[in-house]
């Protein structure tokens, strides 16, 4: 096997045929790759199907965790096996083009202060996916978003929405607060300085946390609009929407406690926390009622 330029880490949980499609697209890359699949106890036959498809391809390593460890822990579980100077954390419902990694690495060549980079994620209908370029979800921005006061925030010259997908795309790579965990290209040297993903998050918000920690350590987080990846969002999480929403809202609360405690007035943090859990309650009722309908 050639010495890999990029180790691609894919966390799988009942990902179905998408897992094979994802890995196949990675193996077709024009740069040498290593693929590490960290499986969280899939029971849909997807891991067995992938094993049969890749055969004895030495570029692919399958790690069976035996249970659902969550995204962060599953990524960290295979980190010691990564051999390349670059690591791509990739969702199993993403599809790369053969030149995706080569183009990303070409952009990052010489940018030693860039710790991680993301690209333009596309939905199935071709639209830009929410979350691939983001501002930090501060308590103030979160409150304005929940109260639908985006117009007021613009008048105050403070962008209220942390998802930037409705804003014009830049013509060149640009620094952002955060990128999507579905596609995170990370410099190994920066990862070793910052540390691995925080396993206190089970699902969602661990990418926000990592981006914040990279920025706090002095590394740039870069969004590259000229490279596009198709992301069939939510293929493995759509079956249990209430559980996913629980972990998403719990993760946001952890993020606020970790980075904003002591920096904002407590009443504001209490208000935001209350609205977060109210939002979860509404969404849980919605998903429960939707599943109950014939």
């Amino acid at each position: 096997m050639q010495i890999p330029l990029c180790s691609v880490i894919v966390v799988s949980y009942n990902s179905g045929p998408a897992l094979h499609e994802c890995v196949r697209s990675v193996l077709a890359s024009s740069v040498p790759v290593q693929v590490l699949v960290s499986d969280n106890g899939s029971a849909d036959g997807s891991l067995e199907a992938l094993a049969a498809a890749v055969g004895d391809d030495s570029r692919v390593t399958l790690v069976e965790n035996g249970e659902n460890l969550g995204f962060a822990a599953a990524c960290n579980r295979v980190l010691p096996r990564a051999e390349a100077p670059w690591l791509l954390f990739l969702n199993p419902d993403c599809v790369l083009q053969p030149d995706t990694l080569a183009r990303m690495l070409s952009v990052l060549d010489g940018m030693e202060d860039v710790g991680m980079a993301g690209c333009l994620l596309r939905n199935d209908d071709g639209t830009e996916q929410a979350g691939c370029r983001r501002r930090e979800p501060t308590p103030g921005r979160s409150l304005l978003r929940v109260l639908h006061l985006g117009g007021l925030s613009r008048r105050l010259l403070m962008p209220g929405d942390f998802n930037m997908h409705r804003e014009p795309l830049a013509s060149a790579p640009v620094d952002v607060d955060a990128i999507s965990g579905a596609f995170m290209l990370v410099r190994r040297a920066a990862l070793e300085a910052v540390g691995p993903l925080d396993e206190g998050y089970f699902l969602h918000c661990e990418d926000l946390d990592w981006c914040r920690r990279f920025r706090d350590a002095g590394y740039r987080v870069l969004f590259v609009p000229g490279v596009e990846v198709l992301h069939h969002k939510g293929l493995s999480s759509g079956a249990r929407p209430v559980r996913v929403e629980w972990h998403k809202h719990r993760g946001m609360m952890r993020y606020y406690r970790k980075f904003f405690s002591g920096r904002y007035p407590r009443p504001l943090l209490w208000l935001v926390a209350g609205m977060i859990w109210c939002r979860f309650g509404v969404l849980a009722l919605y998903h429960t009622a939707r599943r109950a309908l014939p």
Side-chain angles (χ1 to χ4, degrees):
M1 184 178 73
Q2 287 182 285
I3 298 175
L5 185 58
C6 184
S7 295
V8 182
I9 294 175
V10 181
V11 174
S12 176
Y13 177 68
N14 294 333
S15 301
L19 177 62
H20 180 206
E21 182 183 14
C22 172
V23 172
R24 182 173 55 189
S25 75
V26 173
L27 293 175
S29 295
S30 59
V31 300
V33 295
Q34 171 194 26
V35 181
L36 300 167
V37 177
S38 184
D39 186 77
N40 273 341
S42 294
D44 64 345
S46 56
L47 190 66
E48 293 79 5
L50 177 62
V54 299
D56 58 356
D57 193 324
S58 60
R59 296 175 295 171
V60 182
T61 300
L62 307 180
V63 176
E64 297 185 57
N65 299 320
E67 60 179 322
N68 194 348
L69 303 178
F71 179 76
C75 287
N76 292 346
R77 177 68 63 90
V78 298
L79 274 181
R81 299 172 182 252
E83 302 171 358
W86 289 95
L87 294 88
L88 174 63
F89 296 81
L90 184 69
N91 274 19
D93 43 12
C94 286
V95 180
L96 305 187
Q97 296 300 314
D99 63 347
T100 298
L101 284 172
R103 293 174 64 195
M104 288 292 295
L105 293 174
S106 176
V107 169
L108 298 174
D109 185 35
M111 294 185 176
E112 299 297 328
D113 58 344
V114 174
M116 71 164 70
C119 67
L120 178 60
L121 300 179
R122 294 287 190 187
N123 294 307
D124 291 329
D125 62 3
T127 57
E128 179 182 346
Q129 197 163 96
C132 62
R133 48 181 175 134
R134 291 182 277 183
R135 299 182 182 90
E136 185 169 37
T138 61
R141 285 191 181 123
S142 298
L143 188 61
L144 288 171
R145 187 185 192 196
V146 171
L147 296 176
H148 300 286
L149 294 177
L152 174 61
S153 70
R154 284 189 292 273
R155 286 194 292 273
L156 295 174
L157 301 180
M158 184 187 77
D161 197 350
F162 35 83
N163 286 326
M164 302 168 66
H165 61 292
R166 294 187 178 90
E167 301 176 19
L169 278 170
S171 58
V174 60
D175 287 15
V176 293
D177 288 344
I179 55 176
S180 171
F183 184 105
M184 293 188 294
L185 183 59
V186 179
R187 187 186 302 274
R188 174 187 283 278
L191 186 156
E192 291 174 349
V194 173
L197 286 155
D198 182 348
E199 297 184 14
Y201 300 91
F202 186 83
L203 183 67
H204 291 293
C205 298
E206 64 284 303
D207 50 357
L208 285 171
D209 179 291
W210 220 20
C211 289
R212 170 63 187 263
R213 288 163 54 205
F214 269 72
R215 290 188 290 110
D216 286 348
Y219 290 101
R220 296 163 57 197
V221 177
L222 199 69
F223 171 70
V224 183
V227 178
E228 301 183 9
V229 164
L230 179 63
H231 181 204
H232 306 291
K233 192 174 182 180
L235 290 183
S236 59
S237 61
R240 306 182 71 178
V242 175
R243 185 169 183 267
V244 170
E245 290 294 344
W246 162 258
H247 287 299
K248 184 184 298 184
H249 288 76
R250 177 178 173 272
M252 188 57 69
M253 287 301 305
R254 178 177 178 82
Y255 187 87
Y256 285 144
R257 287 194 301 270
K258 186 173 179 179
F259 295 109
F260 298 130
S261 292
R263 293 183 52 205
Y264 284 79
R266 284 188 179 182
L268 175 60
L269 295 176
W270 293 338
L271 176 60
V272 171
M275 299 190 77
I276 286 174
W277 289 119
C278 283
R279 183 177 185 272
F280 166 71
V282 170
L283 289 173
L285 287 172
Y286 167 76
H287 289 301
T288 301
R290 188 176 180 184
R291 291 174 69 88
L293 292 175

PDB file of all heavy atoms in Angstrom, residues 16-49:
ATOM      1  N   GLY A  16     -26.706   1.366   5.881  1.00  0.00           N
ATOM      2  CA  GLY A  16     -27.247   0.780   4.659  1.00  0.00           C
ATOM      3  C   GLY A  16     -26.269   0.840   3.501  1.00  0.00           C
ATOM      4  O   GLY A  16     -25.051   0.954   3.680  1.00  0.00           O
ATOM      5  N   PRO A  17     -26.804   0.791   2.274  1.00  0.00           N
ATOM      6  CA  PRO A  17     -25.942   0.802   1.077  1.00  0.00           C
ATOM      7  C   PRO A  17     -25.106   2.068   0.955  1.00  0.00           C
ATOM      8  O   PRO A  17     -24.107   2.077   0.237  1.00  0.00           O
ATOM      9  CB  PRO A  17     -26.954   0.693  -0.074  1.00  0.00           C
ATOM     10  CG  PRO A  17     -28.190   0.103   0.534  1.00  0.00           C
ATOM     11  CD  PRO A  17     -28.232   0.613   1.929  1.00  0.00           C
ATOM     12  N   ALA A  18     -25.502   3.160   1.631  1.00  0.00           N
ATOM     13  CA  ALA A  18     -24.747   4.409   1.532  1.00  0.00           C
ATOM     14  C   ALA A  18     -23.312   4.231   2.005  1.00  0.00           C
ATOM     15  O   ALA A  18     -22.393   4.885   1.495  1.00  0.00           O
ATOM     16  CB  ALA A  18     -25.441   5.506   2.343  1.00  0.00           C
ATOM     17  N   LEU A  19     -23.092   3.347   2.974  1.00  0.00           N
ATOM     18  CA  LEU A  19     -21.745   3.137   3.493  1.00  0.00           C
ATOM     19  C   LEU A  19     -20.815   2.640   2.404  1.00  0.00           C
ATOM     20  O   LEU A  19     -19.691   3.142   2.250  1.00  0.00           O
ATOM     21  CB  LEU A  19     -21.786   2.148   4.663  1.00  0.00           C
ATOM     22  CG  LEU A  19     -20.425   1.764   5.262  1.00  0.00           C
ATOM     23  CD1 LEU A  19     -19.732   2.985   5.839  1.00  0.00           C
ATOM     24  CD2 LEU A  19     -20.604   0.684   6.331  1.00  0.00           C
ATOM     25  N   HIS A  20     -21.268   1.663   1.637  1.00  0.00           N
ATOM     26  CA  HIS A  20     -20.438   1.135   0.548  1.00  0.00           C
ATOM     27  C   HIS A  20     -20.198   2.209  -0.501  1.00  0.00           C
ATOM     28  O   HIS A  20     -19.072   2.368  -1.004  1.00  0.00           O
ATOM     29  CB  HIS A  20     -21.114  -0.082  -0.084  1.00  0.00           C
ATOM     30  CG  HIS A  20     -20.322  -0.683  -1.201  1.00  0.00           C
ATOM     31  ND1 HIS A  20     -20.893  -1.405  -2.231  1.00  0.00           N
ATOM     32  CD2 HIS A  20     -18.985  -0.654  -1.466  1.00  0.00           C
ATOM     33  CE1 HIS A  20     -19.954  -1.797  -3.071  1.00  0.00           C
ATOM     34  NE2 HIS A  20     -18.791  -1.359  -2.631  1.00  0.00           N
ATOM     35  N   GLU A  21     -21.221   2.980  -0.833  1.00  0.00           N
ATOM     36  CA  GLU A  21     -21.069   4.039  -1.831  1.00  0.00           C
ATOM     37  C   GLU A  21     -20.047   5.074  -1.361  1.00  0.00           C
ATOM     38  O   GLU A  21     -19.209   5.545  -2.140  1.00  0.00           O
ATOM     39  CB  GLU A  21     -22.420   4.718  -2.097  1.00  0.00           C
ATOM     40  CG  GLU A  21     -22.354   5.798  -3.172  1.00  0.00           C
ATOM     41  CD  GLU A  21     -23.671   6.519  -3.376  1.00  0.00           C
ATOM     42  OE1 GLU A  21     -24.567   6.373  -2.524  1.00  0.00           O
ATOM     43  OE2 GLU A  21     -23.791   7.245  -4.375  1.00  0.00           O
ATOM     44  N   CYS A  22     -20.107   5.414  -0.093  1.00  0.00           N
ATOM     45  CA  CYS A  22     -19.170   6.381   0.466  1.00  0.00           C
ATOM     46  C   CYS A  22     -17.738   5.864   0.388  1.00  0.00           C
ATOM     47  O   CYS A  22     -16.842   6.558  -0.116  1.00  0.00           O
ATOM     48  CB  CYS A  22     -19.551   6.689   1.905  1.00  0.00           C
ATOM     49  SG  CYS A  22     -18.357   7.696   2.811  1.00  0.00           S
ATOM     50  N   VAL A  23     -17.508   4.667   0.891  1.00  0.00           N
ATOM     51  CA  VAL A  23     -16.157   4.104   0.908  1.00  0.00           C
ATOM     52  C   VAL A  23     -15.626   3.914  -0.504  1.00  0.00           C
ATOM     53  O   VAL A  23     -14.449   4.184  -0.790  1.00  0.00           O
ATOM     54  CB  VAL A  23     -16.138   2.782   1.698  1.00  0.00           C
ATOM     55  CG1 VAL A  23     -14.783   2.085   1.563  1.00  0.00           C
ATOM     56  CG2 VAL A  23     -16.460   3.040   3.171  1.00  0.00           C
ATOM     57  N   ARG A  24     -16.485   3.467  -1.398  1.00  0.00           N
ATOM     58  CA  ARG A  24     -16.063   3.287  -2.796  1.00  0.00           C
ATOM     59  C   ARG A  24     -15.609   4.613  -3.392  1.00  0.00           C
ATOM     60  O   ARG A  24     -14.606   4.676  -4.121  1.00  0.00           O
ATOM     61  CB  ARG A  24     -17.215   2.704  -3.607  1.00  0.00           C
ATOM     62  CG  ARG A  24     -16.869   2.421  -5.073  1.00  0.00           C
ATOM     63  CD  ARG A  24     -18.004   1.694  -5.756  1.00  0.00           C
ATOM     64  NE  ARG A  24     -19.260   2.425  -5.630  1.00  0.00           N
ATOM     65  CZ  ARG A  24     -20.448   1.931  -5.987  1.00  0.00           C
ATOM     66  NH1 ARG A  24     -20.530   0.697  -6.465  1.00  0.00           N
ATOM     67  NH2 ARG A  24     -21.530   2.649  -5.869  1.00  0.00           N
ATOM     68  N   SER A  25     -16.318   5.702  -3.087  1.00  0.00           N
ATOM     69  CA  SER A  25     -15.927   7.008  -3.620  1.00  0.00           C
ATOM     70  C   SER A  25     -14.601   7.472  -3.034  1.00  0.00           C
ATOM     71  O   SER A  25     -13.790   8.096  -3.728  1.00  0.00           O
ATOM     72  CB  SER A  25     -17.034   8.041  -3.346  1.00  0.00           C
ATOM     73  OG  SER A  25     -17.076   8.450  -1.990  1.00  0.00           O
ATOM     74  N   VAL A  26     -14.357   7.150  -1.773  1.00  0.00           N
ATOM     75  CA  VAL A  26     -13.086   7.526  -1.151  1.00  0.00           C
ATOM     76  C   VAL A  26     -11.932   6.757  -1.788  1.00  0.00           C
ATOM     77  O   VAL A  26     -10.871   7.319  -2.085  1.00  0.00           O
ATOM     78  CB  VAL A  26     -13.125   7.278   0.367  1.00  0.00           C
ATOM     79  CG1 VAL A  26     -11.750   7.515   0.980  1.00  0.00           C
ATOM     80  CG2 VAL A  26     -14.159   8.175   1.036  1.00  0.00           C
ATOM     81  N   LEU A  27     -12.130   5.465  -2.006  1.00  0.00           N
ATOM     82  CA  LEU A  27     -11.078   4.636  -2.585  1.00  0.00           C
ATOM     83  C   LEU A  27     -10.743   5.028  -4.017  1.00  0.00           C
ATOM     84  O   LEU A  27      -9.659   4.719  -4.516  1.00  0.00           O
ATOM     85  CB  LEU A  27     -11.487   3.162  -2.533  1.00  0.00           C
ATOM     86  CG  LEU A  27     -11.589   2.547  -1.130  1.00  0.00           C
ATOM     87  CD1 LEU A  27     -12.111   1.119  -1.208  1.00  0.00           C
ATOM     88  CD2 LEU A  27     -10.253   2.599  -0.403  1.00  0.00           C
ATOM     89  N   ALA A  28     -11.670   5.726  -4.672  1.00  0.00           N
ATOM     90  CA  ALA A  28     -11.433   6.189  -6.046  1.00  0.00           C
ATOM     91  C   ALA A  28     -10.688   7.521  -6.082  1.00  0.00           C
ATOM     92  O   ALA A  28     -10.467   8.081  -7.156  1.00  0.00           O
ATOM     93  CB  ALA A  28     -12.758   6.314  -6.787  1.00  0.00           C
ATOM     94  N   SER A  29     -10.279   8.023  -4.915  1.00  0.00           N
ATOM     95  CA  SER A  29      -9.592   9.314  -4.853  1.00  0.00           C
ATOM     96  C   SER A  29      -8.265   9.271  -5.614  1.00  0.00           C
ATOM     97  O   SER A  29      -7.599   8.235  -5.683  1.00  0.00           O
ATOM     98  CB  SER A  29      -9.318   9.698  -3.401  1.00  0.00           C
ATOM     99  OG  SER A  29     -10.524   9.921  -2.693  1.00  0.00           O
ATOM    100  N   SER A  30      -7.900  10.419  -6.145  1.00  0.00           N
ATOM    101  CA  SER A  30      -6.664  10.525  -6.929  1.00  0.00           C
ATOM    102  C   SER A  30      -5.424  10.638  -6.055  1.00  0.00           C
ATOM    103  O   SER A  30      -4.298  10.646  -6.572  1.00  0.00           O
ATOM    104  CB  SER A  30      -6.755  11.731  -7.866  1.00  0.00           C
ATOM    105  OG  SER A  30      -6.950  12.932  -7.134  1.00  0.00           O
ATOM    106  N   VAL A  31      -5.611  10.747  -4.731  1.00  0.00           N
ATOM    107  CA  VAL A  31      -4.465  10.761  -3.809  1.00  0.00           C
ATOM    108  C   VAL A  31      -4.508   9.492  -2.967  1.00  0.00           C
ATOM    109  O   VAL A  31      -5.578   8.909  -2.761  1.00  0.00           O
ATOM    110  CB  VAL A  31      -4.508  12.014  -2.896  1.00  0.00           C
ATOM    111  CG1 VAL A  31      -4.465  13.291  -3.720  1.00  0.00           C
ATOM    112  CG2 VAL A  31      -5.725  12.001  -1.990  1.00  0.00           C
ATOM    113  N   PRO A  32      -3.363   9.027  -2.490  1.00  0.00           N
ATOM    114  CA  PRO A  32      -3.349   7.806  -1.665  1.00  0.00           C
ATOM    115  C   PRO A  32      -4.136   8.003  -0.370  1.00  0.00           C
ATOM    116  O   PRO A  32      -3.959   9.005   0.333  1.00  0.00           O
ATOM    117  CB  PRO A  32      -1.864   7.585  -1.375  1.00  0.00           C
ATOM    118  CG  PRO A  32      -1.140   8.377  -2.405  1.00  0.00           C
ATOM    119  CD  PRO A  32      -2.004   9.553  -2.721  1.00  0.00           C
ATOM    120  N   VAL A  33      -5.000   7.049  -0.055  1.00  0.00           N
ATOM    121  CA  VAL A  33      -5.860   7.171   1.117  1.00  0.00           C
ATOM    122  C   VAL A  33      -5.798   5.898   1.963  1.00  0.00           C
ATOM    123  O   VAL A  33      -5.448   4.823   1.483  1.00  0.00           O
ATOM    124  CB  VAL A  33      -7.329   7.440   0.729  1.00  0.00           C
ATOM    125  CG1 VAL A  33      -7.476   8.784   0.049  1.00  0.00           C
ATOM    126  CG2 VAL A  33      -7.886   6.314  -0.137  1.00  0.00           C
ATOM    127  N   GLN A  34      -6.162   6.089   3.211  1.00  0.00           N
ATOM    128  CA  GLN A  34      -6.410   5.003   4.143  1.00  0.00           C
ATOM    129  C   GLN A  34      -7.832   5.211   4.647  1.00  0.00           C
ATOM    130  O   GLN A  34      -8.225   6.335   4.967  1.00  0.00           O
ATOM    131  CB  GLN A  34      -5.428   5.070   5.309  1.00  0.00           C
ATOM    132  CG  GLN A  34      -5.736   4.110   6.455  1.00  0.00           C
ATOM    133  CD  GLN A  34      -4.959   4.447   7.716  1.00  0.00           C
ATOM    134  OE1 GLN A  34      -4.582   5.609   7.932  1.00  0.00           O
ATOM    135  NE2 GLN A  34      -4.715   3.449   8.567  1.00  0.00           N
ATOM    136  N   VAL A  35      -8.633   4.151   4.702  1.00  0.00           N
ATOM    137  CA  VAL A  35     -10.014   4.261   5.158  1.00  0.00           C
ATOM    138  C   VAL A  35     -10.173   3.485   6.456  1.00  0.00           C
ATOM    139  O   VAL A  35      -9.861   2.297   6.529  1.00  0.00           O
ATOM    140  CB  VAL A  35     -11.010   3.730   4.106  1.00  0.00           C
ATOM    141  CG1 VAL A  35     -12.441   3.880   4.613  1.00  0.00           C
ATOM    142  CG2 VAL A  35     -10.843   4.468   2.788  1.00  0.00           C
ATOM    143  N   LEU A  36     -10.672   4.177   7.489  1.00  0.00           N
ATOM    144  CA  LEU A  36     -10.933   3.566   8.787  1.00  0.00           C
ATOM    145  C   LEU A  36     -12.421   3.680   9.068  1.00  0.00           C
ATOM    146  O   LEU A  36     -12.941   4.785   9.272  1.00  0.00           O
ATOM    147  CB  LEU A  36     -10.139   4.282   9.881  1.00  0.00           C
ATOM    148  CG  LEU A  36      -8.617   4.266   9.732  1.00  0.00           C
ATOM    149  CD1 LEU A  36      -7.970   5.263  10.668  1.00  0.00           C
ATOM    150  CD2 LEU A  36      -8.075   2.869   9.984  1.00  0.00           C
ATOM    151  N   VAL A  37     -13.125   2.561   9.051  1.00  0.00           N
ATOM    152  CA  VAL A  37     -14.558   2.541   9.335  1.00  0.00           C
ATOM    153  C   VAL A  37     -14.751   2.115  10.779  1.00  0.00           C
ATOM    154  O   VAL A  37     -14.362   1.010  11.171  1.00  0.00           O
ATOM    155  CB  VAL A  37     -15.318   1.595   8.389  1.00  0.00           C
ATOM    156  CG1 VAL A  37     -16.797   1.545   8.755  1.00  0.00           C
ATOM    157  CG2 VAL A  37     -15.147   2.048   6.940  1.00  0.00           C
ATOM    158  N   SER A  38     -15.334   2.995  11.575  1.00  0.00           N
ATOM    159  CA  SER A  38     -15.602   2.710  12.988  1.00  0.00           C
ATOM    160  C   SER A  38     -17.096   2.457  13.129  1.00  0.00           C
ATOM    161  O   SER A  38     -17.906   3.389  13.068  1.00  0.00           O
ATOM    162  CB  SER A  38     -15.162   3.909  13.836  1.00  0.00           C
ATOM    163  OG  SER A  38     -15.320   3.654  15.214  1.00  0.00           O
ATOM    164  N   ASP A  39     -17.465   1.192  13.308  1.00  0.00           N
ATOM    165  CA  ASP A  39     -18.881   0.822  13.284  1.00  0.00           C
ATOM    166  C   ASP A  39     -19.451   0.713  14.695  1.00  0.00           C
ATOM    167  O   ASP A  39     -18.930  -0.011  15.542  1.00  0.00           O
ATOM    168  CB  ASP A  39     -19.077  -0.500  12.554  1.00  0.00           C
ATOM    169  CG  ASP A  39     -20.554  -0.826  12.388  1.00  0.00           C
ATOM    170  OD1 ASP A  39     -21.193  -0.231  11.510  1.00  0.00           O
ATOM    171  OD2 ASP A  39     -21.055  -1.655  13.173  1.00  0.00           O
ATOM    172  N   ASN A  40     -20.549   1.411  14.911  1.00  0.00           N
ATOM    173  CA  ASN A  40     -21.180   1.490  16.232  1.00  0.00           C
ATOM    174  C   ASN A  40     -22.276   0.445  16.427  1.00  0.00           C
ATOM    175  O   ASN A  40     -23.400   0.765  16.810  1.00  0.00           O
ATOM    176  CB  ASN A  40     -21.754   2.891  16.453  1.00  0.00           C
ATOM    177  CG  ASN A  40     -20.731   3.852  17.025  1.00  0.00           C
ATOM    178  OD1 ASN A  40     -19.723   3.439  17.580  1.00  0.00           O
ATOM    179  ND2 ASN A  40     -20.983   5.144  16.877  1.00  0.00           N
ATOM    180  N   GLY A  41     -21.965  -0.804  16.144  1.00  0.00           N
ATOM    181  CA  GLY A  41     -22.915  -1.877  16.401  1.00  0.00           C
ATOM    182  C   GLY A  41     -24.040  -1.960  15.399  1.00  0.00           C
ATOM    183  O   GLY A  41     -25.185  -2.253  15.774  1.00  0.00           O
ATOM    184  N   SER A  42     -23.749  -1.736  14.123  1.00  0.00           N
ATOM    185  CA  SER A  42     -24.786  -1.821  13.087  1.00  0.00           C
ATOM    186  C   SER A  42     -25.403  -3.218  13.052  1.00  0.00           C
ATOM    187  O   SER A  42     -24.713  -4.228  13.198  1.00  0.00           O
ATOM    188  CB  SER A  42     -24.200  -1.494  11.709  1.00  0.00           C
ATOM    189  OG  SER A  42     -23.784  -0.151  11.643  1.00  0.00           O
ATOM    190  N   ALA A  43     -26.726  -3.244  12.836  1.00  0.00           N
ATOM    191  CA  ALA A  43     -27.437  -4.522  12.771  1.00  0.00           C
ATOM    192  C   ALA A  43     -28.174  -4.684  11.451  1.00  0.00           C
ATOM    193  O   ALA A  43     -29.042  -5.551  11.330  1.00  0.00           O
ATOM    194  CB  ALA A  43     -28.429  -4.624  13.939  1.00  0.00           C
ATOM    195  N   ASP A  44     -27.838  -3.864  10.458  1.00  0.00           N
ATOM    196  CA  ASP A  44     -28.550  -3.894   9.180  1.00  0.00           C
ATOM    197  C   ASP A  44     -27.769  -4.606   8.085  1.00  0.00           C
ATOM    198  O   ASP A  44     -28.186  -4.621   6.925  1.00  0.00           O
ATOM    199  CB  ASP A  44     -28.882  -2.469   8.727  1.00  0.00           C
ATOM    200  CG  ASP A  44     -27.632  -1.641   8.440  1.00  0.00           C
ATOM    201  OD1 ASP A  44     -26.529  -2.060   8.856  1.00  0.00           O
ATOM    202  OD2 ASP A  44     -27.757  -0.579   7.800  1.00  0.00           O
ATOM    203  N   GLY A  45     -26.652  -5.218   8.432  1.00  0.00           N
ATOM    204  CA  GLY A  45     -25.852  -5.938   7.446  1.00  0.00           C
ATOM    205  C   GLY A  45     -24.937  -5.051   6.622  1.00  0.00           C
ATOM    206  O   GLY A  45     -24.226  -5.555   5.742  1.00  0.00           O
ATOM    207  N   SER A  46     -24.914  -3.753   6.893  1.00  0.00           N
ATOM    208  CA  SER A  46     -24.118  -2.833   6.078  1.00  0.00           C
ATOM    209  C   SER A  46     -22.619  -3.080   6.225  1.00  0.00           C
ATOM    210  O   SER A  46     -21.868  -2.990   5.242  1.00  0.00           O
ATOM    211  CB  SER A  46     -24.449  -1.381   6.425  1.00  0.00           C
ATOM    212  OG  SER A  46     -24.269  -1.129   7.810  1.00  0.00           O
ATOM    213  N   LEU A  47     -22.179  -3.413   7.440  1.00  0.00           N
ATOM    214  CA  LEU A  47     -20.745  -3.643   7.638  1.00  0.00           C
ATOM    215  C   LEU A  47     -20.312  -4.934   6.948  1.00  0.00           C
ATOM    216  O   LEU A  47     -19.250  -4.981   6.324  1.00  0.00           O
ATOM    217  CB  LEU A  47     -20.427  -3.703   9.129  1.00  0.00           C
ATOM    218  CG  LEU A  47     -18.934  -3.689   9.475  1.00  0.00           C
ATOM    219  CD1 LEU A  47     -18.309  -2.356   9.083  1.00  0.00           C
ATOM    220  CD2 LEU A  47     -18.699  -3.958  10.951  1.00  0.00           C
ATOM    221  N   GLU A  48     -21.145  -5.964   7.040  1.00  0.00           N
ATOM    222  CA  GLU A  48     -20.828  -7.230   6.374  1.00  0.00           C
ATOM    223  C   GLU A  48     -20.791  -7.051   4.858  1.00  0.00           C
ATOM    224  O   GLU A  48     -19.910  -7.614   4.174  1.00  0.00           O
ATOM    225  CB  GLU A  48     -21.846  -8.300   6.757  1.00  0.00           C
ATOM    226  CG  GLU A  48     -21.800  -8.728   8.225  1.00  0.00           C
ATOM    227  CD  GLU A  48     -22.486  -7.749   9.172  1.00  0.00           C
ATOM    228  OE1 GLU A  48     -23.096  -6.758   8.672  1.00  0.00           O
ATOM    229  OE2 GLU A  48     -22.418  -7.962  10.396  1.00  0.00           O
ATOM    230  N   ALA A  49     -21.723  -6.275   4.340  1.00  0.00           N
ATOM    231  CA  ALA A  49     -21.752  -6.019   2.902  1.00  0.00           C
ATOM    232  C   ALA A  49     -20.511  -5.260   2.455  1.00  0.00           C
ATOM    233  O   ALA A  49     -19.937  -5.543   1.400  1.00  0.00           O
ATOM    234  CB  ALA A  49     -23.009  -5.236   2.538  1.00  0.00           C
TER     235      ALA A  49
END
